[in-house]
Amino acid sequence: MDDRKTGDTQREGGQATEELIPQAAGDATGSYSLLEPRMKRIYGMFYKELYYTPERRILDPKVQELISIAASLVAKCEGCIDGHIKKAMALGATKEEISETICIAVAINAAAVVDFSDQSASRLGLNNFPTKPASAR
């Protein structure tokens, strides 16, 4: 999610809650345009609590952004990735930390593909390349 915010004026604790909701870059129609205002407000409060309430934060902000990069990649959220990379860099994430974060997302996605195909093989009764017992190697 990038750094653009919505322009809603609803106030929550002195700050416009929905101003904190990120939007996809270049979004001409307005992100969240299909969500009714009540649900948009609830999401805005959740997002604010997670990313903009440092007194309740457990994780270091840079770690939080690195996790957000990996989650954005795995979730395939185009509107998220740019903003979380920019925030991570602003918080001092190195190119090596960002690279490792991306590699973790790649590993998780690869494992998900293997898991998904294993489940299909099991349902179909397939075992094309059986693992040899350790004694037979």
Side-chain angles (χ1 to χ4, degrees):
M1 306 256 167
D2 82 15
D3 293 327
R4 269 185 4 173
K5 313 294 186 253
T6 64
D8 198 310
T9 58
Q10 173 98 15
R11 297 283 167 185
E12 180 71 31
Q15 188 168 16
T17 301
E18 292 185 18
E19 285 178 4
L20 300 175
I21 299 176
Q23 293 186 355
D27 180 10
T29 61
S31 285
Y32 311 95
S33 65
L34 297 178
L35 288 181
E36 63 176 281
R38 177 180 62 90
M39 299 310 289
K40 191 173 174 180
R41 236 180 336 277
I42 290 168
Y43 176 71
M45 289 185 297
F46 176 81
Y47 196 87
K48 177 186 173 196
E49 183 73 18
L50 182 62
Y51 285 103
Y52 295 99
T53 311
E55 64 275 9
R56 293 193 190 99
R57 183 177 289 148
I58 304 300
L59 295 174
D60 173 84
K62 181 175 81 171
V63 170
Q64 192 178 43
E65 289 305 324
L66 292 171
I67 292 169
S68 295
I69 290 169
S72 297
L73 289 167
V74 173
K76 297 177 178 82
C77 180
E78 275 188 58
C80 304
I81 190 65
D82 292 358
H84 288 300
I85 289 174
K86 287 189 323 191
K87 287 178 189 176
M89 289 170 41
L91 291 166
T94 65
K95 62 184 178 185
E96 293 81 10
E97 288 172 321
I98 291 172
S99 176
E100 186 170 337
T101 297
I102 293 167
C103 289
I104 289 168
V106 168
I108 295 300
N109 252 354
V113 168
V114 170
D115 181 60
F116 200 59
S117 62
D118 283 348
Q119 291 175 43
S120 181
S122 177
R123 286 190 303 273
L124 298 172
L126 300 174
N127 190 4
N128 292 350
F129 302 97
T131 305
K132 295 178 182 173
S135 61
R137 290 183 199 175

